[in-house]
Amino acid sequence: MRIISPYNKILFIAFFLALFSLTRAQDKFPQGYFANPLTIPISLAGTFGEIRSNHFHTGLDIRTDGKEGLPVLASANGYICRINVSPYGYGNALYIKHPNGFVTVYGHLSRYNPAIAAYVKERQYELQKFAVDLYPNAGEMAVKKGDTVAFSGSTGAAEGPHLHFEIRDDKEEDPINPMLFGLACTDKLPPVIAGISVYPLNDSSNVNGRHEPVYINTVNRTGTLHLAADSAINAYGMIGIGIRTYDMADGADNHNGPYTEVLMDAKDTLYYSRMDDLSFGAMRYINGHVDYEAFLKKKETFEHSFLEDNDKLDIYKKVTNRGRIKFEKGAAIHHLKYDVSDFQGNNTELLFDIGGETVRGSIRRDTIKYKGMISWKKPFDYHYKGMSLHIPTDAIFQNVRFYCSDAASPLHTLCPIYHIINEYVPLSSSYTLNISPSAPLPDSVLRKAVIIQWTGGRIHSVGGAYDSGSIIAHPKSFGDFSIMLDLVRPEIKPLNIYKGKNMSKATDIEFEISDNLSGIAGYNAYVDGKWILMGYNPKKDMIYYTFDEHVKEGNHHLKLVVTDNVGNVNTYEVDFTR
């Protein structure tokens, strides 16, 4: 368990292959064509392919020194092909199509340049919507390399000010690592290998005599990386290895994603992944690539260096035996090595050994009686006491034992709590869940019902639509479910306006809106009977109207209407002076 010399033969071959791959990438991806989209040097708060909840990061998060309002520049000549305004995701986003067959994406913008902003606002008023997805005609909004198209911000799902920058293939519309195009970023820090995990992959497998994963941290002793555990690792049966790793950037303390991960078994490459490009269509298959249970329970990311049966990710460059190792009783020790690198070529290595068990060890034994096996290759349907579900083909990552039971609900639900497998079994897509109330209820009442998921003592709605006496929803996880009624109107709380207030010195009107269960479906505001544009910031539960030419000086009447997802409506009206 040591870091081997960087001059050994294996590392030389790996370096040569990486150099060859980079040379080919430079032929495919033009160097110098795309420029830095900011006026400050690139410093990364997030890398391409970094693991996030339910998805890989599809671009670069470029630091803006903790500020909003930095000029965002067109990275190359082209025309604006899409403008998306959303309270979620990328927030205010801009898409530029370039003549070389690529599209650049700029996300979390605080605002657009005046010409684009005017175009967007006009369309928002035409559609009477804040969230819009606009597609200008080809060439209608041409830009030149270096033009200021917008200003940086933190709109959408951003946790702080930064610019999200992507490069996509125009034909497939899938993201490509922008660093392949030669964007410069100073980084002299190697990735960190924080720990490994070892998994028994079938019922008769075990690690250190037990049928459960083993997690081991690393420790640096006098400049050499070791596993922290003093005792040896022994295994029996089919085994998989995982890694907890991240990359560091100069002058930053955030954990970014590495570029390549290689697991060697002696001289053989067992697993090799590289973050060159991604597919939006396969994005949720990340849930089978990571240790999903550890991700939820430990809040730690262990990546599998083996493939589940249903793995459709395209990040793998070489995998032998699906990354799995078979151990027999008393088998020879396997000398394993991880080599993790960032895009700049900084790398970290870890050597460790796994030996074969001298005895067979434990065999998996289920304490819960299961009702059948779900095959990932086939659809699965099940009916149970007023609940039915349909799991489509490819929704799970391997064959799974199906557990289902019900229990009396401690909540104000219309039926029992149904326990469906558990929340730690990952899914690549949603499934259909149909639940009926225990007692008949009028249609008018059931139209106010939603399916809820109860996790860790917390309730959240997974939505649902009324259909013939039951509620149908499409959850993306297993767990505990029931039905609840939402009979409460959304709440409206004025933040800076009240009856008769003189708003002449105010720049905007602000409200806080919230809902107790089903969630906000929409809102509309009117001044003197005419629709006005109100932005929405769900991170603060706030909607706001910025005074403009649509509300002139004088006395006015404001009406705000907020609706939740089951049709409950609340209205707030007030007179004010401008």
Side-chain angles (χ1 to χ4, degrees):
M1 300 178 187
R2 58 186 177 84
I3 300 178
I4 59 177
S5 167
Y7 303 104
N8 66 70
K9 183 178 179 181
I10 296 174
L11 185 56
F12 175 78
I13 294 172
F15 174 77
F16 176 79
L17 291 174
L19 183 63
F20 177 71
S21 298
L22 183 59
T23 302
R24 294 193 64 185
Q26 289 174 344
D27 292 337
K28 185 177 181 180
F29 307 117
Q31 304 298 290
Y33 187 92
F34 294 108
N36 178 1
L38 293 176
T39 57
I40 59 176
I42 293 177
S43 175
L44 296 182
T47 50
F48 183 87
E50 185 175 305
I51 291 177
R52 306 285 177 86
S53 179
N54 295 316
H55 70 286
F56 291 100
H57 189 234
T58 54
L60 303 178
D61 281 348
I62 306 177
R63 293 178 176 277
T64 57
D65 294 335
K67 303 174 183 176
E68 297 193 13
L70 273 63
V72 174
L73 314 178
S75 191
N77 294 344
Y79 65 88
I80 297 170
C81 61
R82 182 183 178 190
I83 308 167
N84 185 261
V85 178
S86 171
Y88 308 103
Y90 296 165
N92 296 332
L94 198 64
Y95 299 68
I96 300 177
K97 186 172 183 178
H98 306 281
N100 66 344
F102 296 98
V103 173
T104 51
V105 183
Y106 313 76
H108 306 308
L109 308 169
S110 61
R111 65 188 191 279
Y112 305 107
N113 74 20
I116 299 171
Y119 171 86
V120 171
K121 188 173 181 179
E122 181 180 359
R123 296 292 291 138
Q124 287 174 315
Y125 268 92
E126 288 177 5
L127 299 170
Q128 294 194 355
K129 292 173 61 179
F130 166 68
V132 293
D133 199 7
L134 309 175
Y135 294 84
N137 296 326
E140 180 181 354
M141 305 180 75
V143 296
K144 293 182 179 180
K145 186 174 187 175
D147 283 353
T148 297
V149 292
F151 298 88
S152 67
S154 59
T155 56
E159 294 182 359
H162 69 273
L163 174 67
H164 176 87
F165 178 71
E166 290 183 22
I167 299 179
R168 299 183 183 181
D169 181 285
D170 181 37
K171 294 181 180 179
E172 302 296 331
E173 296 187 0
D174 283 332
I176 302 165
N177 192 335
M179 303 303 287
L180 292 170
F181 293 83
L183 293 177
C185 175
T186 301
D187 182 5
K188 297 180 181 179
L189 297 177
V192 173
I193 299 178
I196 68 164
S197 45
V198 188
Y199 303 90
L201 296 181
N202 55 35
D203 289 353
S204 60
S205 301
N206 70 81
V207 181
N208 289 344
R210 304 186 67 176
H211 186 80
E212 59 186 34
V214 170
Y215 302 93
I216 307 174
N217 293 331
T218 60
V219 60
N220 194 310
R221 296 172 183 159
T222 64
T224 304
L225 197 62
H226 298 265
L227 293 181
D230 294 328
S231 59
I233 307 172
N234 294 299
Y236 175 84
M238 197 65 72
I239 299 298
I241 315 295
I243 185 171
R244 183 162 67 93
T245 183
Y246 54 87
D247 189 34
M248 302 295 291
D250 292 0
D253 58 2
N254 54 290
H255 295 177
N256 298 333
Y259 179 54
T260 66
E261 297 175 13
V262 179
L263 176 61
M264 304 289 294
D265 186 356
K267 295 183 179 181
D268 298 325
T269 301
L270 193 64
Y271 172 91
Y272 172 29
S273 66
R274 190 174 70 228
M275 291 299 178
D276 287 336
D277 49 51
L278 294 165
S279 168
F280 282 115
M283 193 63 68
R284 278 189 64 90
Y285 283 88
I286 189 176
N287 289 338
H289 173 69
V290 301
D291 185 329
Y292 193 70
E293 185 168 352
F295 190 79
L296 295 181
K297 284 184 175 180
K298 297 172 174 284
K299 308 301 180 185
E300 293 179 345
T301 301
F302 286 87
E303 293 184 65
H304 293 161
S305 299
F306 60 93
L307 275 59
E308 297 282 13
D309 295 331
N310 180 28
D311 190 325
K312 291 181 170 57
L313 294 176
D314 52 7
I315 63 174
Y316 311 117
K317 304 307 174 184
K318 183 177 181 179
V319 180
T320 303
N321 298 327
R322 300 188 69 79
R324 304 173 182 210
I325 308 173
K326 187 174 183 179
F327 288 84
E328 305 289 353
K329 293 181 184 178
I333 292 175
H334 284 253
H335 302 289
L336 300 165
K337 182 190 77 169
Y338 267 116
D339 188 332
V340 181
S341 66
D342 60 23
F343 194 86
Q344 288 70 29
N346 305 301
N347 78 298
T348 298
E349 298 175 348
L350 169 70
L351 267 72
F352 59 99
D353 297 336
I354 301 181
E357 285 275 22
T358 55
V359 294
R360 185 170 182 176
S362 66
I363 297 175
R364 171 179 176 150
R365 301 188 187 281
D366 292 302
T367 58
I368 302 174
K369 185 177 180 181
Y370 65 94
K371 300 179 180 295
M373 185 72 73
I374 310 175
S375 169
W376 64 270
K377 296 180 180 179
K378 300 177 181 179
F380 179 83
D381 292 275
Y382 189 79
H383 302 268
Y384 177 81
K385 295 183 179 180
M387 181 277 292
S388 64
L389 57 81
H390 170 77
I391 302 173
T393 304
D394 283 347
I396 54 177
F397 293 96
Q398 60 183 340
N399 294 348
V400 172
R401 288 174 170 81
F402 181 73
Y403 303 88
C404 180
S405 63
D406 66 307
S409 172
L411 310 172
H412 297 294
T413 61
L414 304 182
C415 62
I417 296 283
Y418 292 98
H419 310 293
I420 302 171
I421 312 181
N422 65 69
E423 65 267 33
Y424 304 120
V425 174
L427 287 156
S428 67
S429 64
S430 61
Y431 62 98
T432 302
L433 179 61
N434 186 319
I435 304 179
S436 301
S438 298
L441 290 170
D443 290 357
S444 58
V445 174
L446 277 181
R447 293 185 191 279
K448 301 289 186 181
V450 294
I451 292 179
I452 59 100
Q453 185 169 8
W454 191 27
T455 306
R458 301 182 64 182
I459 299 169
H460 74 272
S461 168
V462 294
Y466 171 79
D467 183 32
S468 303
S470 62
I471 308 300
I472 301 174
H474 301 279
K476 294 183 178 179
S477 63
F478 296 122
D480 298 341
F481 299 90
S482 193
I483 307 175
M484 292 186 76
L485 289 176
D486 182 357
L487 303 175
V488 180
R489 299 181 302 172
E491 184 177 350
I492 299 174
K493 180 181 179 181
L495 297 178
N496 69 340
I497 190 171
Y498 50 82
K499 183 178 179 181
K501 183 175 180 181
N502 186 331
M503 301 290 288
S504 60
K505 294 183 179 180
T507 58
D508 59 12
I509 303 174
E510 300 174 357
F511 292 91
E512 183 180 297
I513 59 173
S514 59
D515 188 69
N516 70 313
L517 183 58
S518 63
I520 300 294
Y523 62 90
N524 283 289
Y526 307 86
V527 170
D528 303 330
K530 296 181 179 180
W531 187 86
I532 58 170
L533 174 63
M534 298 201 80
Y536 181 32
N537 184 345
K539 290 178 287 190
K540 296 182 178 180
D541 291 329
M542 190 175 79
I543 58 174
Y544 53 92
Y545 164 71
T546 302
F547 284 112
D548 58 10
E549 69 278 7
H550 291 87
V551 178
K552 303 183 184 301
E553 294 181 359
N555 297 322
H556 301 285
H557 180 77
L558 169 68
K559 180 180 180 181
L560 173 63
V561 181
V562 182
T563 307
D564 68 15
N565 281 300
V566 294
N568 297 310
V569 179
N570 196 4
T571 301
Y572 176 89
E573 298 189 60
V574 65
D575 294 318
F576 70 96
T577 301
R578 171 65 175 155

